[in-house]
Amino acid sequence: MNEKLSYGKIILRPLEPEDLDLLYQWENNTEIWEVSNTKTPFSKHILAQYLLESAKDIYETKQLRLIIETSDKKPVGAVDLFDFEPFHMRAGVGILIHKSDDRKKGYASDALQALSNYSFEILGLRQLYANITSDNWGSIQLFEKSGFTQSGIKKNWIKTFSGWKDELFYQKFLG
């Protein structure tokens, strides 16, 4: 595997057809819908189509999802590049460590470092950004530890069942 896709305890790998059941489980977990901005469940058919599309080049689709695997090949989550803008040399980042038992083990910070290395050295990006709700302390700590700094706030940006939340805008300049 490319050294640019590994760091510390993890390896980032492309999606494979055998990831269908895993994606189905992750994408339909209502506990994470708020952070993923999802409102409806995904069918296996739709996810199978997504897997087919994922083989296309990031320059065509403007997005890339990679599975986060431990050194013993256990998939623990996924990291996404989205809104890929090669002209402006930037992309958004989203990350998921699915099971709470796998959190706080360094997998997410290692994945962000591997993704930063790949984004800079292979894709030639200048910056990455993330949108995080103001009450998501775990993500705030993760991104700040990974070199992202808060550069803005969107007031009352995210509507939830319990009211409105602010969304924080984080950036990391690469290189």
Side-chain angles (χ1 to χ4, degrees):
M1 182 60 71
N2 186 323
E3 65 194 45
K4 304 294 187 242
L5 293 173
S6 63
Y7 188 87
K9 298 177 252 180
I10 64 90
I11 297 166
L12 301 179
R13 67 157 175 84
L15 292 170
E16 299 289 352
E18 52 270 16
D19 292 324
L20 179 60
D21 289 334
L22 192 62
L23 287 180
Y24 184 76
Q25 176 187 6
W26 291 353
E27 293 291 347
N28 289 309
N29 179 351
T30 58
E31 293 174 11
I32 62 168
W33 279 9
E34 185 177 310
V35 295
S36 66
N37 206 19
T38 302
K39 302 289 180 255
T40 58
F42 289 92
S43 69
K44 282 192 176 182
H45 174 75
I46 293 295
L47 291 171
Q49 288 179 312
Y50 172 74
L51 283 170
L52 288 174
E53 290 289 311
S54 73
K56 292 183 179 177
D57 191 85
I58 188 173
Y59 290 90
E60 181 180 352
T61 63
K62 306 298 185 211
Q63 64 183 2
L64 174 67
R65 174 169 288 177
L66 297 167
I67 297 295
I68 303 167
E69 275 189 348
T70 62
S71 57
D72 61 349
K73 304 282 188 212
K74 174 187 169 190
V76 293
V79 65
D80 294 328
L81 285 177
F82 61 90
D83 293 342
F84 174 68
E85 287 287 344
F87 179 78
H88 297 292
M89 301 166 68
R90 68 176 178 239
V93 176
I95 191 163
L96 165 73
I97 301 297
H98 187 256
K99 292 182 179 175
S100 57
D101 292 351
D102 290 325
R103 296 180 189 151
K104 306 243 186 252
K105 293 186 176 179
Y107 300 143
S109 56
D110 285 355
L112 284 179
Q113 187 58 55
L115 188 70
S116 294
N117 294 345
Y118 173 77
S119 296
F120 178 68
E121 297 173 23
I122 303 298
L123 297 177
L125 298 183
R126 184 172 168 262
Q127 67 176 292
L128 297 173
Y129 67 88
N131 301 298
I132 307 168
T133 55
S134 58
D135 64 343
N136 188 342
W137 297 110
S139 286
I140 290 169
Q141 289 175 335
L142 166 67
F143 278 87
E144 288 181 354
K145 176 183 171 187
S146 299
F148 286 73
T149 56
Q150 184 185 335
S151 60
I153 185 169
K154 301 173 208 167
K155 297 284 189 179
N156 294 313
W157 197 255
I158 304 294
K159 184 180 178 186
T160 70
F161 292 116
S162 60
W164 291 89
K165 292 184 181 181
D166 295 343
E167 185 173 78
L168 308 178
F169 186 75
Y170 277 82
Q171 290 175 279
K172 179 179 182 178
F173 291 93
L174 306 171

